Amino acid sequence: MSPPPGDADDAALVKAALAGVESAFTEIMRRHKGAAYRFIRRYVGDRDEAHDLVQETFVSAWTALPRFDRRRPLSAWLRRIALNKCRDWSRRRRVRSFFYAAVSLEVSPKALSAAVEPTDVAQENLVAALDASLASLPTTLKEPLILTLFEGLSHKEAAELLRVSPKAIETRIYRARQILAQKLSRQRANE
């Protein structure tokens, strides 16, 4: 007798889902949707877009499930799919803004993450400025920063996910932090 989906590890859930047990994939989504949402939200800076991209991530995961290597962590595989969805979203956004240049499609995020609850206007403005600055970073700098700082990956894990060297991750994080510090100090000077 196999354990109920809530008690199984991710590899067992994948095996059960591939065998046609619907509740297994539901459990996979329940376990990993929060992390996927937080990652995507930080990447795109928009709550509604993040919800849509989480759905796209799990639809893609479902269709690609037979190709999942059960020897690897499911969370890393799902994060890779989410990263690809974010990159696709970013490309679509650039194409739309190129063709419809009359209206900027830049978003103004309200919070850095769901865990941050600003208590006053000054703090809310700081969080919004940080979130907007983070969203405006070039992709090559934004991805390593989000993966290491917010998602808790090591430089090595982020390097594997992004297919670059750990030294490249270290350099990109350093540059991203410099740019963020400059942007935030300029904003404070303008206030």
Side-chain angles (χ1 to χ4, degrees), residues 43 83 86-91 93-94 134-147 162 172 176:
Y43 194 101
L83 177 62
C86 290
R87 287 175 173 172
D88 291 346
W89 174 85
S90 188
R91 278 191 292 275
R93 195 171 128 226
R94 280 194 304 271
L134 181 63
S136 71
L137 283 174
T139 302
T140 57
L141 301 181
K142 177 177 22 181
E143 291 173 354
L145 188 66
I146 291 173
L147 289 170
L162 297 174
R172 290 173 184 184

Side-chain angles (χ1 to χ4, degrees), residues 78-179:
L78 289 170
R79 190 177 293 115
R80 183 72 184 166
I81 293 171
L83 177 62
N84 288 335
K85 293 299 171 188
C86 290
R87 287 175 173 172
D88 291 346
W89 174 85
S90 188
R91 278 191 292 275
R92 285 191 309 264
R93 195 171 128 226
R94 280 194 304 271
V95 168
R96 277 192 305 246
S97 67
F98 175 76
F99 285 110
Y100 304 105
V103 178
S104 173
L105 295 178
E106 285 297 315
V107 294
S108 176
K110 292 199 186 248
L112 184 58
S113 76
V116 176
E117 293 291 330
T119 57
D120 63 16
V121 174
Q123 187 178 3
E124 188 174 310
N125 289 342
L126 178 62
V127 170
L130 182 58
D131 209 22
S133 296
L134 181 63
S136 71
L137 283 174
T139 302
T140 57
L141 301 181
K142 177 177 22 181
E143 291 173 354
L145 188 66
I146 291 173
L147 289 170
T148 57
L149 185 64
F150 297 108
E151 295 298 310
L153 269 61
S154 68
H155 288 193
K156 183 181 177 194
E157 292 168 327
E160 289 173 6
L161 187 65
L162 297 174
R163 296 184 178 123
V164 297
S165 71
K167 185 65 178 172
I169 295 294
E170 183 180 331
T171 302
R172 290 173 184 184
I173 290 169
Y174 176 77
R175 289 178 42 214
R177 287 181 174 183
Q178 282 183 317
I179 291 170

